[in-house]
């Protein structure tokens, strides 16, 4: 007897394959099953090769089914297995505690973007961790716009609001908000204090000359200037006595510091106010603080207790600690997390901005981008992003994630709540003859939640025939003589297939017959019940097809599942029915 005639063995493999598929988003992995089968059938040890072939066939069959159909089959035959396979409810993952949190009356964290671009997935970690820690300790989460570079990293007005909107969407609304371009007098005040105390100086060396000196661990001649001289130079900076690039305030550190980038770092510089007006304050200021003085002063004044940021900021901490010492301040606690790479996600701000300007992208929410706006448009939920980031946590090791990781989080949230509908991509007509009666098809909106309701269609044969739209890929795979099952309706036997034409005869209603014949289950839409539907894919291409008429009542923002196709978010359902594809 060949293995394939062994009915018990077939059942054993089928069960294992179905359960394995359900654990892997609908795709069973053949390799994982051999050991499992042999552990129950020791007698097959010597026939591993033949067994592997048989398993491959059963796996291919299982993988051609929709997840819903896989679930249905397991529930029907092995209801006890599904309960056993269900993992216990995962306990909500908590973040590790913050260092020295008990030393502060209130934990205060901040997120401080430059509004020179919209936010994207690359910012998710800073936002979510800072917000989450503030919530965890019943503290305060501050949003601070770092917009003090009107020349190179020029802020743009619309992004202030877009960033606020992105934070609200992520569920990370700030308790307080500050904008650095409102705070220039504050930075000036501390710059003067540093100059007056001899802890900073105005350097008027040409940049190249200063660079050579500093690389040679030598001070420039400005460093030893008197306080009066420095204050005089400072006034000239403010009054316009120096032009752009002619003078810079430097904070004294250690001219022999092992890291040249730390040696007497620049704190404030001149930007031509007529050439580079600021979008918020115009040409009011000509001296602008650089990152380390602005962020350093603000972190202290705003009472930030814990700075949670990427480890690329480690050198900034070293720089700022000199300034904190000069001013007699205590540096906040810091958590520096490792790099989070997301394979395939496009996260270069400058390239995004350039692509928008050159109209390569349709907008900030172009599905090819990893901006929050684009993710929102595609039906990626903020809860999924949040959960993924919290699971990664604040660890210092670099982490690489993929889109698939994010999709898995999202699918887990969407699957239990998304209504199911049929969408037929590249529709092809299927004509079924000899249909004996009118059928009332009652399709559940969710296979496990009858309380969500049904879509109902009455299909009446005309002269014994019915015509359906089916997907081209199903039509292409159909073979004359084989059976197909129209999901939740009836079975048909294909008579003619090919050249975009599909003709079949009615072959009974029993699901069991279809199962026995290993008939493929396909989705369908009665020709009179179709509405045109455009699916915008993640690569911005458009899949044109038809959706069932029950979709007409869907509201924008609804996230649904097109069975055997994927999750989509309804974008427009007025003149046109347009959805954005999320993932399988
Ligand atoms: Zn100098």
């Amino acid at each position: 007897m060949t293995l394939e005639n062994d009915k018990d063995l077939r059942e054993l493999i089928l069960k294992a394959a179905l359960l394995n598929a359900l654990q892997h988003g609908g795709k069973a992995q053949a390799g994982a099953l051999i050991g499992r089968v042999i552990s129950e059938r020791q007698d097959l040890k010597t026939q591993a090769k033949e067994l592997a072939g048989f398993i491959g066939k059963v796996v291919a069959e299982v993988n051609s089914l929709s997840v819903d159909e896989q679930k249905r089959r397991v529930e029907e035959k092995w209801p006890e297995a599904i309960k056993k396979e269900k993992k216990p409810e995962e306990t909500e993952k908590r973040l590790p505690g913050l260092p020295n949190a008990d030393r502060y009356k209130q934990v205060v964290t901040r997120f401080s973007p430059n509004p020179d671009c919209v936010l994207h997935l690359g910012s998710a970690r800073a936002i979510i961790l800072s917000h989450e820690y503030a919530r965890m300790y019943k503290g305060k989460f501050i949003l601070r716009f770092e917009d003090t570079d009107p020349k190179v990293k020029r802020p743009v007005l619309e992004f202030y609001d877009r960033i606020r909107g992105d934070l609200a969407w992520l569920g990370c609304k700030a308790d307080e908000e500050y904008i650095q371009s409102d705070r220039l007098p504050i930075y000036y005040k501390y710059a003067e204090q540093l100059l007056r105390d001899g802890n900073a100086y105005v350097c008027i060396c040409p940049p190249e000359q200063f660079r050579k000196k500093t690389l040679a661990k030598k001070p420039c001649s400005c460093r030893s200037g008197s306080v009066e001289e420095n204050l005089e130079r400072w006034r000239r900076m403010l009054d316009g006595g120096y032009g752009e690039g002619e003078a810079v305030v430097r904070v004294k550190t250690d001219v022999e510091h092992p890291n040249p980038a730390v040696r007497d770092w620049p704190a404030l510089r001149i930007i031509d106010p007529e050439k580079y007006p600021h979008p918020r304050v115009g040409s009011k200021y000509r001296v602008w603080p650089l990152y380390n003085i602005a962020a350093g002063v603000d972190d202290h004044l705003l009472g930030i207790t814990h700075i949670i940021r990427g480890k690329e900021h480690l050198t900034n901490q070293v720089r700022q600690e000199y300034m904190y010492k000069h001013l007699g301040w205590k540096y906040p606690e810091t958590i520096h997390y490792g790099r989070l790479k997301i394979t395939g996600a496009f996260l270069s701000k400058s390239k995004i901005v350039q692509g928008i300007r050159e109209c390569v992208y349709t907008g900030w929410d172009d599905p090819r981008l990893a901006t929050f706006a684009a993710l929102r448009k595609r039906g990626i939920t903020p809860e999924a992003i949040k959960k993924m980031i919290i699971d990664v946590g604040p660890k210092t090791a670099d982490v690489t994630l993929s889109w698939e990781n994010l999709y898995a989080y999202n699918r887990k949230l969407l699957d239990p709540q998304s209504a199911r509908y049929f969408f037929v991509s590249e529709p092809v007509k299927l004509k079924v003859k000899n249909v004996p009666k009118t059928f009332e098809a009652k399709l559940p909106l969710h296979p496990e939640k009858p309380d969500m309701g049904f879509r109902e269609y009455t299909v009446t044969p005309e002269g014994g025939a019915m015509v359906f739209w089916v997907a081209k890929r199903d039509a292409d795979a159909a073979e004359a003589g084989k059976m197909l099952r129209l999901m939740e309706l009836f079975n048909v036997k294909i008579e003619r297939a090919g050249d975009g034409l599909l003709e079949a005869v009615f072959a009974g209603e029993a699901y069991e017959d279809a199962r026995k014949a290993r008939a493929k289950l396909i989705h369908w839409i009665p020709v009179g019940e179709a509405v045109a539907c455009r699916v915008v894919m993640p690569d911005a291409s458009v899949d044109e097809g038809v959706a069932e008429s029950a979709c007409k009542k869907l509201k924008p923002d609804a996230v649904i599942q097109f069975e055997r196709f994927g999750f989509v978010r309804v974008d427009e359902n007025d003149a046109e029915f347009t959805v954005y594809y999320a993932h399988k």
Side-chain angles (χ1 to χ4, degrees):
M1 176 166 103
T2 70
L3 287 185
E4 307 210 12
N5 293 330
D6 183 338
K7 279 223 171 82
D8 290 341
L9 176 62
R10 192 187 137 74
E11 290 288 275
L12 176 67
I13 297 173
L14 185 64
K15 179 179 172 185
L18 284 166
L19 292 175
N20 187 273
L22 289 176
Q23 281 178 348
H24 295 96
K27 296 286 168 231
Q29 339 257 290
L33 300 180
I34 295 186
R36 193 160 179 165
V37 172
I38 288 183
S39 74
E40 291 192 38
R41 288 284 302 267
Q42 297 284 334
D43 57 306
L44 299 176
K45 249 184 189 163
T46 53
Q47 300 175 67
K49 202 173 164 191
E50 208 188 330
L51 179 62
F54 189 20
I55 288 177
K57 278 187 194 164
V58 177
V59 162
E61 185 188 322
V62 164
N63 288 353
S64 73
L65 303 173
S66 70
V67 174
D68 291 339
E69 179 56 21
Q70 290 167 349
K71 273 188 205 153
R72 194 150 44 212
R73 290 196 186 183
V74 174
E75 271 161 14
E76 182 184 291
K77 297 195 72 167
W78 304 284
E80 79 293 347
I82 223 170
K83 280 189 194 79
K84 209 170 67 194
E85 291 292 325
K86 247 187 203 161
K87 287 188 212 136
E89 260 325 290
E90 278 176 58
T91 46
E92 201 58 28
K93 169 137 183 175
R94 297 279 290 177
L95 292 168
L98 284 175
N100 303 319
D102 51 341
R103 288 195 202 162
Y104 303 89
K105 221 165 75 193
Q106 186 187 29
V107 165
V108 183
T109 62
R110 46 84 161 169
F111 170 61
S112 41
N114 180 350
D116 64 340
C117 187
V118 294
L119 298 179
H120 57 54
L121 212 44
S123 304
R125 207 170 182 192
I127 299 168
I128 290 165
L129 291 180
S130 301
H131 176 266
E132 204 59 22
Y133 272 121
R135 289 293 94 92
M136 195 167 140
Y137 287 95
K138 301 190 168 43
K140 199 159 70 175
F141 172 61
I142 288 176
L143 168 62
R144 184 174 76 214
F145 287 108
E146 296 191 334
D147 59 344
T148 62
D149 182 356
K151 187 177 172 182
V152 181
K153 293 181 175 176
R154 200 181 143 70
V156 177
L157 277 184
E158 71 163 304
F159 298 140
Y160 294 77
D161 263 341
R162 285 190 182 273
I163 288 172
R164 290 180 190 115
D166 284 341
L167 290 192
W169 177 71
L170 277 172
C172 299
K173 259 180 115 163
D175 300 308
E176 282 172 21
E177 181 188 299
Y178 297 89
I179 304 181
Q180 289 189 328
S181 55
D182 285 339
R183 298 167 61 80
L184 261 66
I186 296 172
Y187 311 126
Y188 288 0
K189 181 184 147 193
Y190 287 99
E192 269 172 44
Q193 186 178 331
L194 290 163
L195 290 165
R196 202 171 296 122
D197 294 343
N199 289 321
Y201 57 97
V202 177
C203 174
I204 54 167
C205 300
E208 191 45 37
Q209 193 181 316
F210 180 85
R211 215 179 67 87
K212 272 187 192 148
K213 288 242 177 197
T214 202
L215 286 177
K217 300 185 177 176
K218 296 259 177 352
C220 75
S221 57
C222 320
R223 198 180 206 266
S224 50
S226 69
V227 168
E228 290 66 36
E229 206 174 333
N230 275 312
L231 288 172
E232 171 54 29
R233 285 182 178 180
W234 169 243
R235 268 185 291 276
R236 281 184 68 185
M237 279 180 79
L238 295 172
D239 295 349
Y242 292 116
E244 196 177 295
E246 289 177 0
V248 54
V249 176
R250 294 188 178 279
V251 170
K252 285 188 187 170
T253 61
D254 176 356
V255 289
E256 292 182 18
H257 193 282
N259 182 355
V262 173
R263 298 172 198 161
D264 288 11
W265 49 269
L268 299 102
R269 44 70 156 108
I270 298 163
I271 291 175
D272 187 331
E274 305 308 324
K275 244 163 114 183
Y276 305 104
H278 190 279
R280 289 187 70 250
V281 295
S283 304
K284 192 170 169 188
Y285 301 108
R286 58 195 321 274
V287 175
W288 286 94
L290 283 142
Y291 174 76
N292 283 294
I293 190 170
V297 164
D298 279 347
D299 283 340
H300 176 75
L301 295 183
L302 305 181
I304 307 298
T305 61
H306 291 78
I307 303 173
I308 300 148
R309 63 186 170 197
K311 64 183 179 191
E312 66 276 13
H313 280 284
L314 277 166
T315 305
N316 286 329
Q317 176 168 351
V318 179
R319 290 183 182 122
Q320 290 173 25
E321 275 169 341
Y322 280 95
M323 181 177 75
Y324 269 66
K325 216 173 142 206
H326 295 326
L327 295 168
W329 296 344
K330 184 196 167 290
Y331 202 75
E333 311 284 340
T334 51
I335 291 97
H336 289 104
Y337 49 74
R339 279 183 190 83
L340 175 63
K341 259 199 260 166
I342 297 168
T343 323
F346 191 57
L347 299 176
S348 155
K349 265 191 185 185
S350 57
K351 286 197 177 140
I352 293 174
V353 172
Q354 189 189 352
I356 297 273
R357 203 185 309 125
E358 291 169 1
C359 298
V360 177
Y361 303 119
T362 52
W364 302 110
D365 55 7
D366 186 291
R368 288 164 288 185
L369 299 175
T371 58
F372 291 130
L375 298 176
R376 181 166 57 218
K377 191 133 186 147
R378 290 176 51 196
I380 306 292
T381 59
E383 293 79 10
I385 300 173
K386 206 162 171 175
K387 194 141 195 334
M388 180 176 86
I389 295 295
I390 289 177
D391 280 352
V392 172
K395 58 184 158 207
T396 46
D398 292 349
V399 180
T400 302
L401 294 177
S402 66
W403 279 113
E404 273 311 316
N405 294 115
L406 178 58
Y407 295 164
Y409 280 97
N410 205 49
R411 191 179 295 119
K412 215 171 154 188
L413 289 162
L414 293 180
D415 189 62
Q417 62 183 43
S418 302
R420 270 64 167 167
Y421 293 94
F422 289 159
F423 163 72
V424 171
S425 170
E426 298 181 80
V428 169
K429 273 183 184 165
L430 163 68
K431 189 174 175 191
V432 184
K433 294 180 294 186
N434 304 346
V435 184
K437 58 170 190 176
T438 291
F439 279 83
E440 307 279 348
K442 203 173 169 197
L443 307 153
L445 282 171
H446 195 290
E448 286 150 32
K449 295 185 173 171
D451 53 308
M452 278 176 71
F454 297 84
R455 308 105 73 189
E456 290 175 58
Y457 297 103
T458 303
V459 244
T460 310
E462 264 175 54
M466 283 182 186
V467 189
F468 301 93
W469 291 117
V470 296
K472 184 171 179 297
R473 76 181 153 116
D474 288 330
D476 287 347
E479 284 172 51
K482 287 263 172 76
M483 190 188 268
L484 283 178
R485 180 169 178 82
L486 304 185
M487 291 166 77
E488 312 273 352
L489 191 64
F490 53 63
N491 310 324
V492 301
K493 196 170 162 193
I494 300 297
E495 285 191 324
R496 283 177 62 194
D499 302 326
L501 178 89
L502 209 50
E503 285 182 2
V505 285
F506 178 81
E509 289 177 62
Y511 170 68
E512 195 51 29
D513 294 345
R515 206 183 64 80
K516 274 190 199 137
R518 298 184 194 180
K520 189 170 168 185
L521 278 86
I522 67 167
H523 59 288
W524 48 274
I525 297 174
V527 161
E529 297 284 359
V531 290
C533 177
R534 298 172 70 242
V535 184
V536 182
M537 301 303 287
D539 63 0
S541 66
V542 176
D543 193 336
E544 307 256 6
V546 292
E548 57 179 283
S549 60
C551 291
K552 273 184 203 157
K553 62 177 192 307
L554 290 168
K555 299 262 186 306
D557 280 336
V559 180
I560 57 169
Q561 187 189 28
F562 278 150
E563 291 203 63
R564 303 178 69 228
F565 186 78
F567 291 92
V568 300
R569 177 189 151 276
V570 177
D571 193 57
E572 199 201 319
N573 198 2
D574 200 4
E576 254 184 352
F577 181 40
T578 303
V579 302
Y580 275 67
Y581 185 84
H583 46 74
K584 274 264 174 224

